[in-house]
Amino acid sequence: WWVGERLCVAGTGWYCNTFVLTQFIRMATGDGKPVSVTDTTGLAATHLGGTTIHSWAGIGVSDSLQQGFAEHVAKGRREIIEKTDVLIIDEISMLHDYRLDMVDEVCRLVRKKDVPFGGIQIIMSGDFFQLPPINRGDSRAGGFVVNSNVWQELDPTICYLAEQHRQDDEALLEILNALRAGDVRRHHAEKLLERIDAVPDVESIMTELHTVNIDVDTLNEKELEKLDGDELFYTQTTTGSDNYVENLQRSVLAPATLRVKKGALVMAVKNSLDRKYVNGSLGIVIEFESATEYPVVEFKNGRTVTMQPDTWELRDGDKKRASITQIPLRLAWAITVHKSQGMTLDSARIDLRKAFVEGMGYVALSRVKNLESLYLVGINRMALQVSQDAQQIDVLLRDRASKDSAKFAHLE
């Protein structure tokens, strides 16, 4: 789906698109094209080896460009923007429309070309049914990027990923599709409510998804205190200036100081290069290696792994700005719905009684593979809602994708 200088939107469905993006990055860089990889939250960027779009463009948390912005762009930032051939923005659903226009304006000013993004090819990927742009009372309000001026000017080519690789259960798929369509019926709700009474096997290990941080922290602390034995600490090491490290820290799921005991329920927060575990794999700390005191984890997949430090990098184009090295684990009795985005969980206990934004229930329920691996603590009405704007956008994108597929069929 390399479409010349046109903008291509990859993965607008609710399917695993990281693999597609990774392959595209490999092909583009193999052709000698400088690729900048970004996302809106930092969580996806660390998996793809990138940074946030706000950092890449130098706009930070600003709601508009200050007068004379172009004259004050740092030399390194200017060089990256000038050199970039392809700009990838993942998790595009969470980027405000006016901020996409700001990125466009930055690129035009720096590259001195009055065309969309100064002539950079843009690849945007995401699912508008997931968490929307967050509007806070003290900042400018905005909507989805399809409402931006530059989106209209670009007239983007749409690639809609329609093959599903996570769920293996028609009943759960039907519920998720009903959520997306805004057509949750009584029998869908009843199937979910049945999971409130479901009791897992005594030996089952699973994490809980909660909607607010305080519930997650409280449960993890409580469960860790229950365990006997010594508590071991692992403190991360970092490189780079403080501001870059701070930006990277927000997107690394491993804590700055990891505290564990023998018997602790933990979750891998990075993919293993040798495929012994993946981001989201659950396991139990069964011992500590005598020579290094690294935790030895027995994962639910049956593998026993001595967990050694791994490294996350904050990259800006081809420049490394910061790195964090830490054991790629976190306590896993609980995790927030927000931080579960992108994960596939073998099973989960999910508490949606405090769901407070559209799409939150959809994100949580779509983490598991089937209804049998879902254990609900409770659910409220908000958890069954998705954005009406997202539904309208989905209809338009599907229609456009069908037309664009026919248009570019000769490239297959």
Side-chain angles (χ1 to χ4, degrees), residues 30 52 209 311 400:
T52 65
L209 297 188
T311 299
R400 285 285 303 280

Side-chain angles (χ1 to χ4, degrees), residues 166-168 172 205-210 266-268 278-282 300 332 334-337 339-350 363-370 373-374:
R166 177 173 290 143
Q167 278 74 37
D168 56 13
L172 179 56
I205 59 172
M206 69 181 75
T207 194
E208 291 191 12
L209 297 188
H210 289 263
V266 292
M267 175 187 292
V278 297
N279 180 30
S281 292
L282 286 177
K300 197 172 180 180
I335 190 173
T336 61
V337 172
K339 289 182 178 177
S340 75
Q341 285 194 100
M343 290 182 176
T344 299
L345 302 176
D346 292 327
S347 60
R349 185 178 287 107
I350 301 177
V363 170
L365 296 173
S366 59
R367 295 311 94 203
V368 297
K369 299 176 181 178
N370 51 63
S373 60
L374 167 65

Side-chain angles (χ1 to χ4, degrees), residues 250-263:
R250 285 195 290 265
S251 59
V252 172
L253 294 180
T257 299
L258 172 67
R259 301 165 49 217
V260 293
K261 293 181 181 179
K262 183 177 179 180

Side-chain angles (χ1 to χ4, degrees), residues 211-354:
T211 54
V212 293
N213 282 310
I214 186 64
D215 291 343
V216 168
D217 296 339
T218 299
L219 181 59
N220 281 330
E221 289 289 334
K222 177 182 175 182
E223 293 298 324
L224 188 64
E225 290 299 319
K226 286 181 181 179
L227 298 176
D228 296 327
D230 295 333
E231 184 175 288
L232 272 69
F233 297 78
Y234 305 89
T235 303
Q236 69 182 21
T237 58
T238 65
T239 65
S241 60
D242 291 345
N243 61 318
Y244 284 123
V245 171
E246 184 179 342
N247 285 337
L248 179 57
Q249 185 73 70
R250 285 195 290 265
S251 59
V252 172
L253 294 180
T257 299
L258 172 67
R259 301 165 49 217
V260 293
K261 293 181 181 179
K262 183 177 179 180
L265 179 62
V266 292
M267 175 187 292
V269 291
K270 210 169 190 286
N271 293 331
S272 164
L273 291 177
D274 53 12
R275 300 184 179 182
K276 290 182 179 179
Y277 54 83
V278 297
N279 180 30
S281 292
L282 286 177
I284 299 290
V285 176
I286 57 172
E287 61 179 324
F288 299 95
E289 190 179 65
S290 57
T292 62
E293 293 194 326
Y294 290 152
V296 179
V297 177
E298 183 177 308
F299 284 103
K300 197 172 180 180
N301 63 16
R303 294 180 179 271
T304 299
V305 183
T306 299
M307 300 298 293
Q308 300 182 17
D310 205 337
T311 299
W312 292 259
E313 293 183 348
L314 178 65
R315 302 198 72 87
D316 202 350
D318 59 359
K319 297 180 183 295
K320 186 173 82 170
R321 298 296 191 185
S323 71
I324 291 176
T325 300
Q326 173 63 294
I327 304 288
L329 292 174
R330 66 176 295 130
L331 294 178
W333 285 285
I335 190 173
T336 61
V337 172
H338 174 76
K339 289 182 178 177
S340 75
Q341 285 194 100
M343 290 182 176
T344 299
L345 302 176
D346 292 327
S347 60
R349 185 178 287 107
I350 301 177
D351 187 351
L352 291 171
R353 293 174 295 180
K354 298 179 184 178

